[in-house]
Amino acid sequence: MSYFPFCLLFFDNERIAKAALDLAESEARYRSLFENHHTVMLIIDSSTGRIIDANPAAVEFYGWDRATLTSMRIQDINTLSPEEVEAEMAWARTRDKNVFYFKHRRANADPIDVEVYSGPITIQGKELLYSIVHDNSQRIRAERELQALTQSLEQQVLDRTVLLEAQTRRLQELNKEYEAFAYSVSHDLRAPLRAIAGFSAILGESLQAQGILKPALNQKSTGAKANTFQAPDFAHILDRIQSNVSRMQQLIDDMLMLSRAGTRKMNPQPIDFTQMAREILGELTEQQKGRHFECTVQDGMTAIADPDLARILLVNLISNAVKFTKDRDIAHIEVGAEQNSDAPRFFVRDNGVGFDVAAAGERLFAPFQRFHSEASFEGTGIGLSIVKRVVARHNGRVSAESVPGQGATFYFDFGEVKQT
């Protein structure tokens, strides 16, 4: 009788017993790790999504007791749709993906952002999924705050860029105005000075010829010239001198007004635009003796603007309306407003000589530009530049509609200027 088979059987039983002991020890270690670890852990049946087991950390995190948790499916916790959850579990089963970002529901709190590490695990011969869940809300919050900060910084950079571009455009406009000013100094201001000098010379020579004024030492005068000299019209000469002095004073006043309109401190406040227009119309038309005016001012017009600058703007536009209607039997001047948006759009309309808007182009609101001869209509060519600058200070817009011989309408608004 051979004892060899019995020996093999003994050794097999011993190996089986050792394997069972090792398995029991491994399961005990797993159970101890599962139960005592502070990290949230779940065991999930990937075929149904049912939660097979949940450790105490999971019970504390989700707020449901263990019995309730193990009666739920992962679809009950995940805020994704059931179809989306099943698709994510398929990724985890095949190990094609092992890190997931979800929002999980909790018993007594709002859903929370979580980071889940998941993969397949075999327990007692059954293929399951383990899930290790981390609270990801602080990181998500920090990322969102960082994103918001980044967007804020980008917006600040954009705003600063827009501001710098606006300042650049403003500097370019100022440079153009200064160029026009230099041109005016060399031409417009010299013209009245030349006239004053010329008429003064004529007056001086005439007074010398009559013996009223002694000639200068370096001047030579013959008796023949004195005998043949004809006295000019002194009243006309003095009138021309006074006229040129007045023109020069008006140029200087207008340039000062143009400068102040762009530099004085703004004080936006509610103003009665109707009352202001009526006062200015009354003052300007009262000076025009012998003319017939029909003036219309819309009732109830109000605006938020700097009162002094608004008055300067209206004075210039209404002055133009009065000036360019001087050849009309009846001068029609209208001041009104259109409420097309949050901010009213005001207008000053007349039935004067008008002008060609297309031909005027960008020169319309440029300083020292004239579209009618000085002999026909007096002026310095600065008024519309002042209007443009006042409107620009209020972040508004100004435009014109006109046809030669059919009057003109100037539209303007005060933009989004805020009351301070």
Side-chain angles (χ1 to χ4, degrees), residues 320 324 350 352-361 364-365 371-372 384 399-410:
N320 279 352
F324 291 113
D350 65 64
V353 295
F355 58 92
D356 188 337
V357 175
L364 179 58
F365 296 100
F371 303 99
H372 302 281
L384 290 182
S399 60
E401 292 178 358
S402 182
V403 175
Q406 299 182 29
T409 304
F410 285 87

Side-chain angles (χ1 to χ4, degrees), residues 3-16:
Y3 294 97
F4 183 70
F6 293 103
C7 291
L8 290 178
L9 180 61
F10 174 78
F11 286 123
D12 284 342
N13 288 337
E14 190 174 68
R15 282 196 298 270
I16 292 171

Side-chain angles (χ1 to χ4, degrees), residues 41-306:
M41 296 182 179
L42 299 173
I43 303 298
I44 301 166
D45 185 341
S46 61
S47 62
T48 63
R50 190 171 71 84
I51 299 173
I52 302 298
D53 204 353
N55 70 346
V59 171
E60 181 180 357
F61 180 75
Y62 288 108
W64 289 290
D65 58 40
R66 195 166 195 163
T68 302
L69 265 177
T70 53
S71 68
M72 299 170 67
R73 299 189 310 157
I74 195 63
Q75 291 90 331
D76 300 325
I77 292 176
N78 202 311
T79 59
L80 295 178
S81 67
E83 294 76 16
E84 290 173 315
V85 174
E86 290 174 5
E88 295 296 310
M89 286 194 295
W91 284 106
R93 280 197 304 269
T94 58
R95 290 189 174 88
D96 291 331
K97 182 178 178 182
N98 62 356
V99 181
F100 304 84
Y101 298 95
F102 301 127
K103 269 187 178 294
H104 277 187
R105 299 182 181 91
R106 295 179 292 173
N108 300 314
D110 294 332
I112 191 170
D113 291 290
V114 294
E115 182 180 50
V116 179
Y117 293 85
S118 187
I121 186 174
T122 301
I123 299 178
Q124 296 179 352
K126 188 170 184 178
E127 291 292 331
L128 302 173
L129 285 176
Y130 72 89
S131 288
I132 299 174
V133 182
H134 295 287
D135 181 351
N136 199 36
S137 58
Q138 290 185 355
R139 193 182 82 176
I140 295 295
R141 189 182 306 114
E143 289 176 353
R144 288 171 181 165
E145 290 175 354
L146 179 60
Q147 183 179 14
L149 178 60
T150 302
Q151 290 175 347
S152 175
L153 290 174
E154 289 174 351
Q155 186 61 47
Q156 290 180 31
V157 171
L158 180 61
D159 292 343
R160 182 63 59 86
T161 302
V162 170
L163 178 61
L164 289 175
E165 289 175 350
Q167 291 175 339
T168 301
R169 288 194 298 270
R170 178 66 181 144
L171 287 173
Q172 290 172 344
E173 291 175 1
L174 288 174
N175 285 335
K176 290 180 180 178
E177 292 177 3
Y178 289 140
E179 289 173 4
F181 172 76
Y183 175 85
S184 174
V185 169
S186 63
H187 293 79
D188 292 3
L189 289 180
R190 286 184 179 181
L193 288 175
R194 284 195 297 268
I196 292 170
F199 286 115
S200 298
I202 294 172
L203 183 60
E205 290 175 0
S206 176
L207 293 174
Q208 290 173 24
Q210 297 180 52
I212 300 173
L213 183 68
K214 292 183 179 181
L217 293 177
N218 62 347
Q219 287 185 342
K220 296 180 179 179
S221 178
T222 64
K225 284 184 86 175
N227 293 333
T228 60
F229 186 86
Q230 293 183 354
D233 185 347
F234 293 119
H236 173 70
I237 292 176
L238 290 173
D239 180 68
R240 293 295 299 274
I241 292 174
Q242 289 295 324
S243 174
N244 280 278
V245 170
S246 297
R247 170 170 167 72
M248 191 170 180
Q249 288 175 336
Q250 186 62 52
L251 275 168
I252 294 171
D253 290 342
D254 285 352
M255 285 190 293
L256 285 173
M257 185 180 294
L258 179 64
S259 175
R260 288 168 181 164
T263 58
R264 72 184 301 277
K265 184 178 179 181
M266 294 276 288
N267 181 29
Q269 57 186 271
I271 57 176
D272 187 337
F273 213 64
T274 294
Q275 180 63 26
M276 181 180 289
R278 285 175 177 156
E279 290 175 358
I280 295 170
L281 270 168
E283 294 169 1
L284 295 178
T285 56
E286 186 179 357
Q287 302 169 10
Q288 304 294 316
K289 302 300 183 182
R291 291 186 58 185
H292 186 190
F293 290 92
E294 286 187 358
C295 301
T296 303
V297 179
Q298 182 176 319
D299 292 329
M301 292 189 296
T302 60
I304 295 180
D306 182 282

